[in-house]
Amino acid sequence: MRFFTVSCNGRLYTPRHLNTHITPMPIKQIWVDADACPKVIKEILYRAAERVKIPLILVANQPLQVPGSRYIRSMQVAHGFDVADNHIVQQLDAGDLVITADIPLAAEVIDKGGKALNPRGELYTEDNIRQRLSMRDFMETLRGSGIDTGGPAALSHADRQAFANQLDRLLIK
């Protein structure tokens, strides 16, 4: 929700009837773009779902083994380009959290009012997602022209810790 101001004689006024303090929406459920999500990140998510009693849904185009829990389930979608991503976006409610390294998916999540967190602990926001999309497109152009840009570094212990810490911050709000 955004608040607006009205300019009058060079002064800005916010309507008094609006609450200018925005309370963050609690996370109702967590969606995981599970095809590329590292196993260690899934394990952190399993423990978090049990601890805070929040639904965790892993979406993939292959069968997944998940722990038996009333809070954890997996969903297999058809094979195909962005089928899992599209399913997540269609089912997502504002305030839901999506775990993904897929920047275009993160952008759609943010546009729909959700939160997006990558497996390295970086929270995608309205302030940083456009820059991430531009960099992704630039790197894709380089790769398309034959330049080897390398891949992402292996997930480190510091990355796992950053993810767990950011997840905890999001879940206790």
Side-chain angles (χ1 to χ4, degrees), residues 96-128:
D96 285 357
L97 174 63
V98 176
I99 309 303
T100 186
D102 185 312
I103 297 169
L105 171 57
E108 288 187 75
V109 167
I110 291 167
D111 287 345
K112 198 165 175 188
K115 294 177 176 66
L117 178 64
N118 80 16
R120 295 179 187 274
E122 180 183 10
L123 183 64
Y124 298 111
T125 65
E126 287 182 4
D127 295 332
N128 69 21

Side-chain angles (χ1 to χ4, degrees), residues 85-150:
D85 298 357
N86 293 336
H87 180 80
I88 291 170
V89 170
Q90 289 169 358
Q91 299 300 312
L92 177 75
D93 288 327
D96 285 357
L97 174 63
V98 176
I99 309 303
T100 186
D102 185 312
I103 297 169
L105 171 57
E108 288 187 75
V109 167
I110 291 167
D111 287 345
K112 198 165 175 188
K115 294 177 176 66
L117 178 64
N118 80 16
R120 295 179 187 274
E122 180 183 10
L123 183 64
Y124 298 111
T125 65
E126 287 182 4
D127 295 332
N128 69 21
I129 195 65
R130 300 297 161 221
Q131 176 190 7
R132 300 295 186 276
L133 279 169
S134 294
M135 182 57 74
R136 175 198 171 273
D137 293 344
F138 174 69
M139 298 301 281
E140 195 170 282
T141 300
L142 288 177
R143 285 189 295 274
S145 66
I147 296 173
D148 182 12
T149 59

Side-chain angles (χ1 to χ4, degrees), residues 53-115:
K53 299 177 180 14
I54 189 168
L56 173 68
I57 304 111
L58 293 94
V59 182
N61 58 24
Q62 59 192 355
L64 295 173
Q65 296 288 336
V66 297
S69 166
R70 63 187 266 195
Y71 301 106
I72 303 167
R73 67 185 173 102
S74 67
M75 181 172 293
Q76 184 177 354
V77 295
H79 288 276
F81 185 71
D82 287 343
V83 174
D85 298 357
N86 293 336
H87 180 80
I88 291 170
V89 170
Q90 289 169 358
Q91 299 300 312
L92 177 75
D93 288 327
D96 285 357
L97 174 63
V98 176
I99 309 303
T100 186
D102 185 312
I103 297 169
L105 171 57
E108 288 187 75
V109 167
I110 291 167
D111 287 345
K112 198 165 175 188
K115 294 177 176 66

